């Protein structure tokens, strides 16, 4: 890749993760608060530095002027009052605005009901990937599980489509952070946290686990895809279906079901019913593997490498290399590629 392209890609990524480019009400509230605090502290910084530099330059020791100290001032009530009251007022303003921001960010999810256009998803943080358990949309139960890529519907014109997340952890603390949609919210073992966002801007929004959770914390990537309501409906319809069996992959399916893959992974419609690792029912509908680390190319090249030895791609991840023969591996990949 040329340096210019690299720069462009870097710029794009930076924009994707910028808290200063919000597309959702909670992220906007947070951006506004940071700008206000930045303006106040910036003003204080400039005043303090100006006084400091003026004092250093104007009152420096000059040649032939090494007399005693200048006259000293001991105690001044006006100054004491000024430097107590001014910071107190500034802090009060920041406290009030922060409280309002917390209020806007912490919206308690209402009861789901038909016609609310709201999506409810339970997010489970795991070392080192995200599980998304789709609860309800527009008052209807969904009941499927997917991983690492959260699809949500876009708000359109007068119809807001809020997304409410319940955040849990299966192991250690994680933190759900998609900067352009909302602030960080931790996923803590034994506790359920909540967050919400909504956006009219379609496309891909990147995120990242934001709480150190072990050696692969930096590779616990997160993607939120905002679909048009129509695309989202189609996506839901597909995800709700069990896996479709294709005759050409019958061999591969048998190879898959014969391996210990099925103790951890689930493929709905088969006897693979593990719930410890990502649900593979519609694996090929996802753009990436290994929690956003590598593209899930339709030819299955990366999938083949991943199955051969996940540890070379994501060292320490909980999926071991199973030492499959080339033949078994190819058959399993052929089967997995039919799970669209
Ligand atoms: Cu999960 Cu860091």
């Amino acid at each position: 890749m040329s340096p210019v392209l690299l720069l462009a890609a870097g710029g794009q990524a930076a924009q994707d993760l910028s808290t200063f480019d919000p597309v959702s009400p909670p992220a906007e509230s947070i951006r506004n608060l940071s700008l206000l605090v930045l303006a106040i502290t910036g003003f204080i910084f400039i005043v303090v530095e100006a006084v400091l530099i003026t004092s250093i330059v104007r009152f420096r020791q000059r040649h032939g002027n090494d007399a005693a100290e200048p006259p000293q001032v001991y105690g001044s009530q006006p100054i004491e009052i000024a430097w107590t009251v001014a910071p107190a007022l500034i802090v009060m303003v920041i406290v009030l605005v922060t409280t309002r921001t917390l209020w806007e960010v912490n919206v308690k999810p209402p009861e789901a009901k038909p016609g609310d256009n709201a999506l409810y998803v339970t997010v489970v943080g795991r070392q080192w990937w995200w599980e998304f358990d789709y609860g309800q949309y527009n008052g209807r139960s969904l009941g499927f599980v997917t991983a690492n890529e959260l699809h949500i519907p876009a708000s359109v014109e007068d119809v807001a489509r809020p997304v409410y997340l319940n955040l849990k952890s299966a192991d250690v603390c994680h933190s759900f952070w998609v900067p352009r949609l909302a602030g960080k919210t931790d996923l803590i073992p034994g506790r359920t946290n909540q967050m919400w966002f909504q956006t009219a801007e379609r496309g891909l929004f990147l995120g990242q686990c934001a709480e150190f959770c072990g050696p692969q914390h930096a590779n616990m990537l997160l993607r939120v895809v905002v679909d048009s309501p129509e695309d989202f409906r189609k996506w839901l319809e597909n995800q709700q279906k069990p896996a479709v069996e294709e005759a050409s992959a019958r061999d591969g399916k048998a190879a898959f079901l014969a391996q210990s893959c099925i103790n951890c992974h689930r493929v709905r419609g088969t006897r693979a019913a593990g719930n410890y690792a990502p649900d593979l029912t519609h694996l090929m509908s996802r753009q990436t593997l290994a929690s956003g680390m590598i593209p899930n190319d339709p030819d299955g090249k990366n999938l083949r490498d991943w199955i051969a030895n996940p540890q070379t791609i994501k060292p320490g991840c909980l999926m071991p290399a199973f030492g499959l023969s080339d033949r078994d591996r190819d058959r399993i990949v052929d089967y997995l590629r039919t799970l669209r």
Side-chain angles (χ1 to χ4, degrees), residues 125-130 172-175 208-214 216-218 220:
R126 292 169 177 273
Q127 283 175 319
W128 291 279
W129 59 281
W130 305 90
V172 299
C173 289
H174 304 273
S175 188
Q208 167 86 53
C209 178
E211 176 69 45
F212 181 72
C213 54
Q216 287 297 332
H217 154 68
M220 190 167 163

Side-chain angles (χ1 to χ4, degrees), residues 88-330:
L89 283 177
I90 293 171
V91 169
M92 204 171 80
V93 167
I94 295 179
V95 165
L96 289 177
V97 181
T98 305
T99 308
R100 194 186 65 191
T101 305
L102 283 174
W103 198 262
E104 288 164 351
V105 168
N106 283 326
V107 170
K108 205 165 166 40
E111 248 344 87
K113 59 178 192 305
D116 62 1
N117 289 305
L119 173 66
Y120 294 76
V121 181
T122 299
V123 180
V124 184
R126 292 169 177 273
Q127 283 175 319
W128 291 279
W129 59 281
W130 305 90
E131 182 178 284
F132 299 125
D133 186 344
Y134 278 70
Q136 291 190 297
Y137 177 55
N138 211 4
R140 275 183 306 119
S141 289
L142 300 171
F144 64 86
V145 177
T146 178
N148 301 325
E149 295 174 12
L150 181 69
H151 280 252
I152 65 168
S155 301
V156 181
E157 280 142 36
D158 295 340
V159 184
R161 290 190 166 77
V163 178
Y164 299 104
L165 302 182
N166 277 323
L167 304 168
K168 299 177 179 181
S169 169
D171 36 51
V172 299
C173 289
H174 304 273
S175 188
F176 188 98
W177 192 31
V178 184
R180 296 184 67 199
L181 293 175
K184 295 171 190 169
T185 309
D186 284 0
L187 300 88
I188 300 168
R191 187 191 149 86
T192 303
N193 281 341
Q194 286 165 330
M195 71 187 293
W196 82 288
F197 44 79
Q198 74 185 34
T199 181
E201 184 122 345
R202 296 170 199 183
L204 173 67
F205 296 91
L206 300 180
Q208 167 86 53
C209 178
E211 176 69 45
F212 181 72
C213 54
Q216 287 297 332
H217 154 68
N219 287 325
M220 190 167 163
L221 308 175
L222 182 53
R223 299 161 81 86
V224 177
V225 182
V226 183
D227 295 320
S228 70
E230 182 52 23
D231 286 350
F232 181 68
R233 196 187 54 76
K234 283 186 202 148
W235 181 84
L236 278 186
E237 232 164 59
N238 185 50
Q239 298 291 319
Q240 285 179 285
K241 287 181 196 151
V244 177
E245 182 169 320
E246 290 184 15
S248 62
R250 209 158 278 160
D251 251 17
K253 183 178 174 185
F256 174 77
L257 294 177
Q259 294 292 338
S260 47
C261 314
I262 61 170
N263 295 332
C264 294
H265 291 284
R266 178 188 298 267
V267 177
R268 268 180 296 129
T270 74
R271 60 188 172 80
N275 56 8
Y276 187 61
D279 187 302
L280 301 178
T281 310
H282 298 284
L283 173 67
M284 296 315 285
S285 71
R286 307 204 276 263
Q287 299 165 337
T288 60
L289 298 170
S291 195
M293 283 185 73
I294 46 173
N296 188 13
D297 60 294
D299 301 337
K301 190 195 160 296
N302 285 339
L303 186 56
R304 196 168 280 116
D305 293 346
W306 172 257
I307 292 171
N309 191 356
Q311 300 299 322
T312 55
I313 294 168
K314 198 165 189 171
C317 79
L318 298 182
M319 175 159 151
F322 283 97
L324 299 170
S325 67
D326 286 355
R327 185 160 170 274
D328 275 348
R329 193 173 68 226
D330 288 346

